[in-house]
């Protein structure tokens, strides 16, 4: 029990931090707490203040109010270079007039590490990022993925306690991005370094991070594991932002869903929906509704089926091993549940027939 | 009609126009300078350029040019740096005022200093007791030269520093590098060619400045005459050989600068290619 609480102790902490750019409230009363060794994603739409938070932790911006703590020390007045931080910039910001070797060695040379040790360290890092043999190249002579990894190595060279990465994969093409995600996660897990990375891509956050902090309009909406955010969104924003969420106004038109109050919106996600081919034997067939398939998108391991129901284009997934459906086909659709958003609160409403059937059984 | 043929004709017409224009307005006068300079033979030319006052004027021109380049390099770096790397109040104003010297007529630039430092000027009563003479003295000439070449270096640097952004500097600062190290290792390699190019432009302009210097100089032969002023003086005195001999010094200096400029442009472009690819 006590061990658990020490593990949870915050290593990086923001307390009621505010930051304005002129009249613009870029960071609005932000509280963040990150335990040591965790890999955390700051996830939010573009302009939601993610970079600003990262830059304040690094000491590149100064909060108007609030406190920033690292490893039990208040660091508001400590310069960024003394906070033990490695920073990977969105643009990588590699020194373009220095070779890969000199880029990685830069931080160590500033620290006046003997040239022999520098050589060992750089060689080790080059091996880690699988860029051996590239030490004499200039950044302009590297591919996007190589640049990203060199930036990563340069940030790691002075042995920082915290690694901050701003949209580390944004500038890389899709195929390499997937590889790098896995690579980065493995690297960071291996090095056990407390890491915070910024992204606007929820798939990236869910795949890479232990924990996600969702930002919106300068505020923190919710922090939690990917699973928590998925199944228990605490704010309407999170409910809509995470997952493939479809807002639905006329939710009470659907069978076995009742009207609650006026002015509420429901959210339907593909995971809440099952699509059945006519004649398939299924449990809830009696309470399903008929709809027409409008679009089918191949998603690799599954199909995303889009059906028109009560005026809404609802998505559902169907495994590729199940019998195929076609565009224009009439199918049966069963919706298990919806998120209901009323007055900034979220509740889950379930299909009424589920209760009835359980009573019957 | 064949469109290609038409294009060929147009091409040659344009080329011929350009060359004729160049010949009439540039080559011909240059030849004329040289011919006139040598009108009284080689000995006349040598006499012209080794004249005591000609040498003094050349010396003063070089001195004013060097000081102007030094001052404007320091100022240009400082201004370009703060305009591109920091945000502060009055940045727009600073950036606009830097350009003022190239938009204002040099005569006015000269008059501004006469009004500021001259006998009726606001600062005269403070400077005079200290024995500092600015108007009709070498400091005035240097001042005028600095003024007219003010924006040349900062204007070369600002676009490059803007394009580069502040990321690399921030990265270096986060790793603990001090301001001077950051400047030397990160910023300077980036602006090196632009800086040298700015220096060349500044030098060319400083050497040839006439208007502002003319107002401030007082035309004291051997004391406050720069080369352009000296040339005018000789010319007004119908000493054409002397005037054109002195002119040839200025022309040679200009050609040196032009060649330097070509070399720098070439090298700078090559290095830029490497950094962009
Ligand atoms: N230096 C700055 N000056 C003025 N506004 C800024 C500055 N930095 C960020 N902002 C503004 O703050 C908001 C949040 O920016 P940022 O933290 O970069 O968002 P994100 O990284 O989530 O896209 C944006 O609207 C941006 O325009
Ligand atoms: Mg950002």
């Amino acid at each position: 029990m006590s061990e658990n609480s020490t593990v949870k102790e915050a290593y990086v902490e923001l307390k009621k931090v505010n930051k304005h750019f002129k009249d613009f409230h870029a960071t609005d009363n932000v509280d963040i707490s990150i335990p040591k060794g965790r890999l955390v994603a700051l996830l939010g739409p573009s302009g939601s203040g993610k970079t600003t938070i990262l830059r304040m932790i690094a000491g590149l911006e100064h909060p108007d109010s609030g406190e920033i703590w690292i490893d039990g020390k208040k660091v508001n007045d400590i310069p960024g270079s003394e906070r033990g931080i490695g920073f990977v910039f969105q643009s990588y910001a590699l020194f373009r007039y220095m070779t890969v070797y000199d880029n990685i060695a830069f931080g160590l040379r500033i620290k006046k590490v003997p040239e022999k040790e520098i050589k060992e360290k750089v060689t080790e890092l080059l091996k880690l990022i699988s860029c051996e043999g590239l030490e004499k190249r200039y950044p302009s002579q590297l591919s996007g993925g190589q640049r990203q990894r060199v930036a990563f190595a340069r940030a790691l060279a002075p042995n920082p306690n915290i690694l901050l990465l701003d949209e580390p994969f944004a500038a890389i093409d899709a195929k390499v991005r997937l590889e790098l995600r896995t690579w980065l996660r493995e690297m960071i897990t291996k090095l056990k370094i407390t890491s915070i990375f910024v992204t606007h891509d929820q798939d990236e956050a869910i795949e890479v991070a232990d924990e996600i902090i969702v930002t919106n309009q300068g505020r923190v909406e919710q922090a939690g594991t990917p699973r928590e955010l998925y199944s228990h969104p605490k704010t309407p924003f999170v409910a809509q932002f995470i997952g493939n969420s479809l807002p639905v106004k006329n939710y009470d038109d659907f069978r076995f869903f009742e009207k609650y109050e006026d002015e509420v919106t429901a959210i339907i996600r593909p995971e809440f929906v099952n699509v059945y081919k006519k004649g398939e034997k299924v449990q809830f067939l009696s309470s399903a509704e008929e709809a027409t398939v409008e679009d089918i998108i191949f998603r690799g391991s599954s199909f995303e089926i889009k059906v028109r129901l009560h005026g809404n284009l609802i998505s559902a997934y169907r495994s590729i091993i199940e019998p195929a459906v076609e565009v224009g086909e009439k199918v049966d659709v069963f919706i298990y549940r919806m998120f209901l958003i009323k007055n900034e609160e979220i509740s889950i409403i379930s299909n009424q027939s589920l209760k009835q059937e359980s009573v019957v059984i | 009609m064949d469109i290609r043929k038409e294009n060929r004709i147009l091409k040659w017409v344009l080329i011929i126009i350009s060359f004729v224009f160049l010949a009439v307005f540039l080559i011909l006068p240059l030849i004329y300078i040289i011919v006139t300079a040598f009108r009284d033979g080689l000995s006349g030319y040598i006499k012209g350029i080794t004249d005591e006052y000609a040498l003094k004027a050349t010396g003063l021109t070089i001195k004013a040019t060097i000081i102007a380049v030094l001052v404007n390099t320091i100022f240009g770096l400082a201004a370009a740096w703060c305009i591109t790397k920091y945000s502060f109040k009055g940045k727009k104003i600073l950036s606009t005022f830097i350009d003022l010297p190239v938009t204002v007529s040099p005569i006015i630039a000269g008059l501004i200093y006469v009004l500021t430092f001259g006998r009726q000027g606001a600062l005269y009563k403070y400077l005079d007791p200290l024995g500092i003479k600015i108007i009709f003295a070498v400091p005035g000439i240097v001042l005028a030269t600095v003024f007219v070449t003010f924006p040349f270096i900062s204007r070369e640097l600002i676009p490059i520093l803007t394009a580069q952004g502040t990321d690399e500097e921030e990265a270096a600062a986060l790793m603990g590098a001090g301001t001077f190290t950051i400047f030397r290792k990160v910023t300077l390699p980036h602006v090196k060619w632009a800086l040298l190019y700015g220096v060349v432009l500044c030098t060319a302009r400083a050497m040839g400045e006439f208007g502002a210097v003319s107002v401030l100089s007082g035309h004291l032969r051997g004391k406050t005459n720069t080369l352009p002023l000296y040339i005018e003086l000789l010319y007004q005195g119908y000493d054409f050989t002397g005037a054109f001999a002195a002119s040839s010094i200025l022309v040679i200096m200009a050609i040196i600068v032009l060649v330097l400029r070509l070399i720098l442009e070439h090298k700078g472009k090559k290095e830029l290619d490497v950094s962009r690819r």
Side-chain angles (χ1 to χ4, degrees), chain A residues 46-47 49-52 90 166-167 198:
Chain A
S46 185
K50 309 178 294 289
T51 299
T52 307
Q90 183 165 5
D166 193 358
E167 309 250 3
V198 160

Side-chain angles (χ1 to χ4, degrees), chain A residues 19-22 24-27 42-55 61 90 166-167 198-200 215 218, chain B residues 87:
Chain A
K19 173 79 189 172
H20 291 83
F21 293 111
K22 302 231 170 75
F24 185 75
H25 208 161
T27 306
L42 272 173
L43 172 67
S46 185
S48 62
K50 309 178 294 289
T51 299
T52 307
I53 293 174
L54 211 64
R55 288 173 61 84
E61 301 279 358
Q90 183 165 5
D166 193 358
E167 309 250 3
V198 160
T199 179
H200 61 265
T215 59
Chain B
S87 60

Side-chain angles (χ1 to χ4, degrees), chain A residues 108-287:
Chain A
L108 299 169
R109 288 196 175 128
I110 297 290
K111 283 187 169 177
K112 304 238 179 333
V113 175
E115 209 52 44
K116 193 168 150 280
E117 279 174 48
I118 291 180
K119 194 169 162 69
E120 278 166 27
K121 182 83 193 177
V122 174
T123 312
E124 180 196 321
L125 282 165
L126 280 168
K127 204 169 151 210
L128 183 80
I129 61 167
S130 329
C131 284
E132 298 116 313
L134 299 183
E135 48 268 61
K136 292 223 175 66
R137 298 246 187 118
Y138 285 90
S140 58
Q141 299 163 325
L142 300 176
S143 74
Q146 286 168 338
R147 275 179 216 175
Q148 208 256 354
R149 286 180 297 183
V150 172
F152 181 78
R154 183 181 70 176
L156 285 179
N159 280 329
N161 299 318
I162 303 166
L163 185 63
L164 304 177
L165 308 104
D166 193 358
E167 309 250 3
F169 312 108
I172 295 174
D173 49 275
K175 170 101 180 59
V176 186
R177 196 184 311 169
L178 285 178
E179 276 168 32
L180 273 178
R181 269 188 211 167
T182 326
W183 178 83
L184 186 75
R185 192 180 159 82
E186 279 168 8
M187 265 327 110
I188 289 175
T189 320
K190 192 155 100 188
L191 299 165
K192 295 192 180 61
I193 181 169
T194 311
S195 307
I196 308 170
F197 77 100
V198 160
T199 179
H200 61 265
D201 180 341
Q202 55 154 319
D203 293 337
E204 200 165 287
I206 287 166
E207 224 169 274
V208 179
D210 303 324
E211 200 178 310
I212 298 175
I213 297 168
V214 181
T215 59
N216 178 36
Q217 296 182 345
R219 288 186 305 274
V220 168
E221 292 274 339
Q222 188 176 352
T225 62
R227 225 198 137 79
E228 276 167 9
L229 296 179
Y230 230 88
S231 34
H232 301 288
K234 287 208 181 104
T235 67
F237 177 81
V238 176
Q240 294 189 54
F241 189 69
I242 303 280
N244 187 353
S245 298
L246 175 78
V248 170
K249 280 262 175 237
N250 57 339
Y251 63 94
D252 52 316
D253 286 347
F254 291 79
R255 258 177 100 190
F256 299 106
F257 286 94
E258 282 172 8
K259 181 106 189 139
Y260 280 79
E261 282 161 50
D262 290 336
E263 299 302 319
V264 284
T265 306
I267 284 179
I268 301 179
R269 288 203 188 138
E271 309 87 81
F272 301 165
V273 183
N274 266 359
V275 167
Y276 302 115
K277 228 174 150 64
K278 288 280 180 197
E280 270 180 332
K281 282 232 180 312
V282 283
Q283 200 181 355
F284 307 114
L285 195 57
S286 54
S287 29

Side-chain angles (χ1 to χ4, degrees), chain B residues 24-44:
Chain B
V24 172
F25 287 92
L26 202 74
I27 312 286
L28 225 58
L30 276 178
I31 292 173
Y32 185 68
I33 288 178
I34 293 165
V35 169
T36 320
F38 284 94
R39 199 171 55 175
D40 300 344
L42 190 63
S43 61

Side-chain angles (χ1 to χ4, degrees), chain B residues 88-195:
Chain B
F88 54 92
K89 280 208 176 100
K91 185 163 151 174
K92 275 243 167 67
I93 295 176
L94 179 63
S95 164
T96 312
F97 268 80
I98 287 176
D99 280 339
L100 196 67
V102 281
T103 46
V104 138
S105 159
I107 298 284
I108 295 171
L111 287 175
I112 291 169
Y113 286 118
V114 172
L115 291 177
T116 317
F117 299 110
R119 275 180 194 285
Q120 281 85 34
L123 296 178
Y124 184 78
K125 61 175 177 282
Y126 304 109
L127 293 174
D128 194 47
L130 300 173
I132 298 174
K133 261 183 79 72
I134 289 177
I135 304 305
F136 307 143
V138 174
I141 289 175
V142 171
L143 224 74
T145 312
V146 169
F147 182 89
V148 295
T149 54
F150 204 48
F152 281 83
I153 289 171
S154 55
R155 279 296 144 199
E156 287 300 314
L157 298 179
I158 286 169
I160 293 207
L161 287 177
T162 309
Q164 188 200 16
T166 51
D167 281 5
E168 285 178 48
E169 276 87 3
E170 282 182 345
L174 266 185
M175 287 187 265
T179 312
F180 186 64
T181 311
I182 294 175
F183 176 73
R184 207 164 42 92
K185 295 256 173 120
V186 180
T187 316
L188 196 59
H190 196 77
V191 300
K192 191 169 57 186
W193 296 115
L195 179 64

